[in-house]
mmCIF file of all heavy atoms in Angstrom:
data_model
loop_
_atom_site.group_PDB
_atom_site.id
_atom_site.type_symbol
_atom_site.label_atom_id
_atom_site.label_comp_id
_atom_site.label_asym_id
_atom_site.label_seq_id
_atom_site.Cartn_x
_atom_site.Cartn_y
_atom_site.Cartn_z
ATOM 1 N N ALA A 411 15.615 -9.902 -15.238
ATOM 2 C CA ALA A 411 15.521 -8.466 -15.496
ATOM 3 C C ALA A 411 14.251 -7.886 -14.882
ATOM 4 O O ALA A 411 14.267 -6.790 -14.307
ATOM 5 C CB ALA A 411 15.552 -8.194 -16.995
ATOM 6 N N TYR A 412 13.158 -8.616 -15.010
ATOM 7 C CA TYR A 412 11.891 -8.177 -14.415
ATOM 8 C C TYR A 412 12.034 -8.020 -12.907
ATOM 9 O O TYR A 412 11.636 -7.009 -12.316
ATOM 10 C CB TYR A 412 10.792 -9.179 -14.759
ATOM 11 C CG TYR A 412 9.522 -9.006 -13.968
ATOM 12 C CD1 TYR A 412 8.521 -8.138 -14.392
ATOM 13 C CD2 TYR A 412 9.322 -9.700 -12.771
ATOM 14 C CE1 TYR A 412 7.360 -7.964 -13.654
ATOM 15 C CE2 TYR A 412 8.162 -9.531 -12.032
ATOM 16 C CZ TYR A 412 7.186 -8.667 -12.465
ATOM 17 O OH TYR A 412 6.047 -8.488 -11.739
ATOM 18 N N ALA A 413 12.606 -9.050 -12.266
ATOM 19 C CA ALA A 413 12.765 -9.021 -10.815
ATOM 20 C C ALA A 413 13.702 -7.894 -10.386
ATOM 21 O O ALA A 413 13.450 -7.204 -9.393
ATOM 22 C CB ALA A 413 13.291 -10.368 -10.332
ATOM 23 N N ALA A 414 14.788 -7.706 -11.135
ATOM 24 C CA ALA A 414 15.740 -6.647 -10.798
ATOM 25 C C ALA A 414 15.116 -5.270 -10.954
ATOM 26 O O ALA A 414 15.350 -4.366 -10.144
ATOM 27 C CB ALA A 414 16.980 -6.773 -11.683
ATOM 28 N N ALA A 415 14.319 -5.088 -12.002
ATOM 29 C CA ALA A 415 13.660 -3.805 -12.213
ATOM 30 C C ALA A 415 12.661 -3.521 -11.101
ATOM 31 O O ALA A 415 12.516 -2.375 -10.658
ATOM 32 C CB ALA A 415 12.954 -3.796 -13.568
ATOM 33 N N ARG A 416 11.989 -4.546 -10.644
ATOM 34 C CA ARG A 416 11.076 -4.382 -9.504
ATOM 35 C C ARG A 416 11.854 -3.891 -8.283
ATOM 36 O O ARG A 416 11.407 -2.987 -7.575
ATOM 37 C CB ARG A 416 10.385 -5.714 -9.198
ATOM 38 C CG ARG A 416 9.726 -5.774 -7.838
ATOM 39 C CD ARG A 416 9.011 -7.088 -7.591
ATOM 40 N NE ARG A 416 9.037 -7.446 -6.187
ATOM 41 C CZ ARG A 416 8.346 -8.445 -5.640
ATOM 42 N NH1 ARG A 416 7.570 -9.207 -6.411
ATOM 43 N NH2 ARG A 416 8.429 -8.713 -4.361
ATOM 44 N N PHE A 417 13.033 -4.465 -8.054
ATOM 45 C CA PHE A 417 13.831 -4.056 -6.906
ATOM 46 C C PHE A 417 14.350 -2.627 -7.074
ATOM 47 O O PHE A 417 14.387 -1.846 -6.116
ATOM 48 C CB PHE A 417 14.998 -5.024 -6.701
ATOM 49 C CG PHE A 417 15.623 -4.943 -5.344
ATOM 50 C CD1 PHE A 417 15.159 -5.728 -4.302
ATOM 51 C CD2 PHE A 417 16.660 -4.060 -5.089
ATOM 52 C CE1 PHE A 417 15.729 -5.642 -3.034
ATOM 53 C CE2 PHE A 417 17.235 -3.964 -3.834
ATOM 54 C CZ PHE A 417 16.769 -4.756 -2.796
ATOM 55 N N VAL A 418 14.762 -2.272 -8.278
ATOM 56 C CA VAL A 418 15.202 -0.899 -8.545
ATOM 57 C C VAL A 418 14.063 0.072 -8.258
ATOM 58 O O VAL A 418 14.254 1.102 -7.595
ATOM 59 C CB VAL A 418 15.679 -0.745 -10.001
ATOM 60 C CG1 VAL A 418 15.894 0.737 -10.344
ATOM 61 C CG2 VAL A 418 16.972 -1.518 -10.230
ATOM 62 N N GLU A 419 12.879 -0.238 -8.775
ATOM 63 C CA GLU A 419 11.737 0.648 -8.561
ATOM 64 C C GLU A 419 11.438 0.816 -7.076
ATOM 65 O O GLU A 419 11.200 1.939 -6.595
ATOM 66 C CB GLU A 419 10.514 0.098 -9.289
ATOM 67 C CG GLU A 419 9.285 0.988 -9.139
ATOM 68 C CD GLU A 419 8.081 0.450 -9.895
ATOM 69 O OE1 GLU A 419 8.214 -0.571 -10.601
ATOM 70 O OE2 GLU A 419 7.010 1.064 -9.769
ATOM 71 N N SER A 420 11.472 -0.281 -6.321
ATOM 72 C CA SER A 420 11.210 -0.208 -4.885
ATOM 73 C C SER A 420 12.259 0.654 -4.188
ATOM 74 O O SER A 420 11.936 1.475 -3.317
ATOM 75 C CB SER A 420 11.204 -1.616 -4.280
ATOM 76 O OG SER A 420 10.107 -2.364 -4.742
ATOM 77 N N SER A 421 13.525 0.491 -4.578
ATOM 78 C CA SER A 421 14.596 1.277 -3.963
ATOM 79 C C SER A 421 14.428 2.769 -4.237
ATOM 80 O O SER A 421 14.604 3.601 -3.341
ATOM 81 C CB SER A 421 15.955 0.806 -4.493
ATOM 82 O OG SER A 421 16.234 -0.508 -4.086
ATOM 83 N N LEU A 422 14.071 3.094 -5.466
ATOM 84 C CA LEU A 422 13.890 4.505 -5.825
ATOM 85 C C LEU A 422 12.692 5.109 -5.108
ATOM 86 O O LEU A 422 12.740 6.271 -4.684
ATOM 87 C CB LEU A 422 13.731 4.645 -7.335
ATOM 88 C CG LEU A 422 14.944 4.239 -8.180
ATOM 89 C CD1 LEU A 422 14.641 4.424 -9.659
ATOM 90 C CD2 LEU A 422 16.177 5.032 -7.780
ATOM 91 N N ARG A 423 11.637 4.348 -4.989
ATOM 92 C CA ARG A 423 10.480 4.849 -4.243
ATOM 93 C C ARG A 423 10.855 5.129 -2.795
ATOM 94 O O ARG A 423 10.447 6.146 -2.214
ATOM 95 C CB ARG A 423 9.334 3.836 -4.309
ATOM 96 C CG ARG A 423 8.674 3.744 -5.677
ATOM 97 C CD ARG A 423 7.686 2.591 -5.740
ATOM 98 N NE ARG A 423 6.670 2.697 -4.701
ATOM 99 C CZ ARG A 423 5.944 1.672 -4.237
ATOM 100 N NH1 ARG A 423 6.157 0.462 -4.715
ATOM 101 N NH2 ARG A 423 5.041 1.871 -3.320
ATOM 102 N N ALA A 424 11.656 4.255 -2.196
ATOM 103 C CA ALA A 424 12.101 4.460 -0.818
ATOM 104 C C ALA A 424 13.024 5.666 -0.723
ATOM 105 O O ALA A 424 12.899 6.488 0.199
ATOM 106 C CB ALA A 424 12.801 3.206 -0.307
ATOM 107 N N LEU A 425 13.938 5.811 -1.670
ATOM 108 C CA LEU A 425 14.823 6.977 -1.688
ATOM 109 C C LEU A 425 14.038 8.269 -1.814
ATOM 110 O O LEU A 425 14.419 9.309 -1.271
ATOM 111 C CB LEU A 425 15.815 6.873 -2.852
ATOM 112 C CG LEU A 425 16.950 5.863 -2.723
ATOM 113 C CD1 LEU A 425 17.765 5.822 -4.006
ATOM 114 C CD2 LEU A 425 17.848 6.184 -1.530
ATOM 115 N N GLY A 426 12.925 8.195 -2.533
ATOM 116 C CA GLY A 426 12.087 9.366 -2.735
ATOM 117 C C GLY A 426 11.170 9.678 -1.578
ATOM 118 O O GLY A 426 10.415 10.648 -1.620
ATOM 119 N N GLY A 427 11.226 8.852 -0.531
ATOM 120 C CA GLY A 427 10.430 9.127 0.663
ATOM 121 C C GLY A 427 9.159 8.326 0.781
ATOM 122 O O GLY A 427 8.400 8.501 1.745
ATOM 123 N N ASP A 428 8.878 7.461 -0.187
ATOM 124 C CA ASP A 428 7.700 6.605 -0.078
ATOM 125 C C ASP A 428 7.889 5.652 1.091
ATOM 126 O O ASP A 428 8.992 5.118 1.302
ATOM 127 C CB ASP A 428 7.506 5.820 -1.377
ATOM 128 C CG ASP A 428 6.040 5.580 -1.691
ATOM 129 O OD1 ASP A 428 5.196 5.929 -0.848
ATOM 130 O OD2 ASP A 428 5.735 5.043 -2.766
#
Side-chain angles (χ1 to χ4, degrees):
Y412 167 87
R416 164 178 149 171
F417 197 90
V418 170
E419 181 179 356
S420 292
S421 294
L422 296 180
R423 289 172 56 202
L425 287 176
D428 213 354

